[in-house]
Amino acid sequence: MSRAPGKPRGIKILGLDPGSRFTGYGVVLRTGNQLEALAAGRLSVPQKLSLAARLHWLTDQVQGLIEEHAPDEVALETTFAGVNNRSLIVMAQARGAILSALGGRAIEPREFSPAEIKRTVTGNGRADKVQVARMVSMLLKIDTGKTSSDATDALAIALCHAQNVTMDSIKRRALC
């Protein structure tokens, strides 16, 4: 990516919302105080495959996202305890596949809890999906009505990270 002389280089953040059936992704560019959505979508894991093959597929897809979007940083939602232990285990396995893809690229993700993401994006750690989607739409100036909830959640994760980027990180990247 070339940049104009004197123009600060932005930080490209890949947000990932891991799921056993669907994994959302969102790419946000932060340049100073400006935020821009570059991409968003949902990876639909083929259910006809065995568990090992599904996890391998997810690893490959995340590596493809990294190659395609070349993020500077990656943010990931942490696992939260749900009502169904089986769902929690399958979700943890999907996170493991994602972490494996990131580890293979020597990327250390920043992880945020669901409440931390909601609080950062909406100001309320207990906000519902509609409130989160509305704020993502407002902050990024996009129509989230045409975006899957998985992709909207991933954009919220990327936004959370963009709002939590330290000055040291900004300075370090500006010197590159």
Side-chain angles (χ1 to χ4, degrees):
M1 176 169 127
S2 62
R3 60 185 177 125
K7 184 177 180 186
R9 179 180 181 274
I11 298 172
K12 194 185 298 184
I13 302 161
L14 171 62
L16 294 168
D17 181 28
S20 58
R21 293 183 55 216
F22 305 110
T23 291
Y25 67 90
V27 182
V28 170
L29 179 65
R30 177 183 172 166
T31 307
N33 291 327
Q34 300 297 312
L35 298 167
E36 178 185 0
L38 301 179
R42 177 171 80 175
L43 304 174
S44 300
V45 180
Q47 294 301 298
K48 66 181 184 243
L49 300 176
S50 69
L51 174 61
R54 288 194 311 261
L55 294 174
H56 178 72
W57 181 91
L58 184 56
T59 300
D60 282 348
Q61 295 301 306
V62 172
Q63 287 175 338
L65 288 173
I66 293 166
E67 288 174 16
E68 179 180 351
H69 298 289
D72 298 304
E73 300 182 12
V74 176
L76 185 64
E77 186 177 69
T78 60
T79 306
F80 58 96
V83 210
N84 183 336
N85 286 339
R86 174 148 172 67
S87 295
L88 182 62
I89 290 168
V90 175
M91 172 82 69
Q93 290 170 329
R95 277 181 43 82
I98 291 169
L99 290 170
S100 177
L102 298 174
R105 303 280 192 220
I107 298 171
E108 188 63 39
R110 175 87 186 267
E111 299 186 60
F112 299 96
S113 71
E116 189 175 7
I117 295 162
K118 292 173 184 179
R119 185 174 45 257
T120 301
V121 174
T122 70
N124 176 2
R126 294 181 178 216
D128 62 25
K129 284 192 173 287
V130 173
Q131 292 169 306
V132 172
R134 188 178 307 125
M135 285 305 296
V136 167
S137 178
M138 287 174 48
L139 291 168
L140 295 174
K141 299 172 184 72
I142 61 171
D143 180 6
T144 56
K146 298 177 182 180
T147 308
S148 74
S149 63
D150 302 295
T152 302
D153 289 348
L155 287 168
I157 294 163
L159 281 171
C160 178
H161 182 66
Q163 296 300 333
N164 286 288
V165 172
T166 64
M167 287 307 291
D168 288 344
S169 178
I170 293 169
K171 289 176 186 174
R172 185 176 60 248
R173 298 222 185 275
L175 296 175
C176 293

